[in-house]
Amino acid sequence: MSEIVEIEVPALLALQERTRLAQVQRMVTPCGSGELVWHAWGNRRPGVPPLVLFHGGSGSWTHWVKNILPLVDAGRWVLAADLPGFGDSAPPLGGSDADAMIEPLAAGLRQLVPDEPVDLVGFSFGGMTSGMLLAAHPLLARRLVLAGAPAMGVEPESQFELKAWRHLSTPQEQAEIHRHNLGVLMLHDQHLIDGLALEVHIANVQRDRLPRRRLSRTDILARSLPKITCPVHAIYGAHDVLYRGRLKELEAAFATNAPDFRGLTLIENAGHWAQYEAPDAFNKALLQALGPAGS
């Protein structure tokens, strides 16, 4: 099922961006007892692989809010999922972590883009999920780009701790915790925790229906990479707290485990959510990893 609809987009975007993002091709595929929701922008072009984006944990397609339009303007047809249990998508059956998402995502991609390998880009939890997906279904993609993905078996020099917020009684109290958590995990520059970042983050975490996820704390992505046959690229913020002080070890883990590893690109002055914090640098690195449209 596919239809052109107008969706709700972050209110604090510039008017032109808000208008363009709001007009989207909305598609659904089966997931659990409901639907897996996909959003598409741009036009399909012969010989140009669909560009599929998987967001991070407690997120939605809006983790890519600063990247979708530049990718469309570069000639790509962009297909952004709300992963099962996040955003507008129903939870998967049989679990509440990435392993329960693999089959609904594989079936969805085969339904939406049959017989055509995609360029797959996964951020954070979505990167781990995309690696697990391609380990089980390697023919789904012609290229994989991992952005800030966890589960590589490399521990940071120091840990971080997020604060709980659901028990707080007022939106103002909750917003202060959300601001704290954005600064601890997502963004390196505290001044970039702006109204848009808070709007996106709050809307996303309120719709997270998959508590107690644990796989991101394992080495499941590193163990999945040897089964992936396509080229693998990695893009991380130079200050990503998931790998604080361990970026050389991270690069070595990729080189050891991915049969066709094409390199790690670091985005300077950016943390975990690098595509939001430094969108121009991230978009440039991503387009370079993907290569010319149609290549």
Side-chain angles (χ1 to χ4, degrees), residues 134-149:
L134 294 188
H137 303 277
L139 298 183
L140 285 176
R142 70 143 202 170
R143 192 177 305 270
L144 173 63
V145 182
L146 299 169

Side-chain angles (χ1 to χ4, degrees), residues 5-26:
V5 300
E6 183 167 322
I7 61 171
E8 184 176 351
V9 300
L12 292 177
L13 283 170
L15 177 60
Q16 183 178 13
E17 294 173 308
R18 198 164 69 242
T19 301
R20 290 182 65 190
L21 285 172
Q23 294 293 325
V24 67
Q25 185 180 11
R26 184 182 187 273

Side-chain angles (χ1 to χ4, degrees), residues 5 21 69 73 97 145 148 185 190 224 232 237 254 262 277 281:
V5 300
L21 285 172
L69 295 179
D73 291 341
D97 214 322
V145 182
L185 172 59
Q190 304 291 310
S224 297
V232 175
F254 273 115
R262 301 296 179 92
E277 193 161 15

Side-chain angles (χ1 to χ4, degrees), residues 36 54-55 75 137 142 145 170 173 199 203 220 228 243 273 275:
L36 200 165
F54 286 176
H55 60 76
H137 303 277
R142 70 143 202 170
V145 182
T170 70
E173 291 176 304
E199 180 186 6
I220 187 65
I228 297 176
Y243 299 98
W273 196 9
Q275 72 267 34

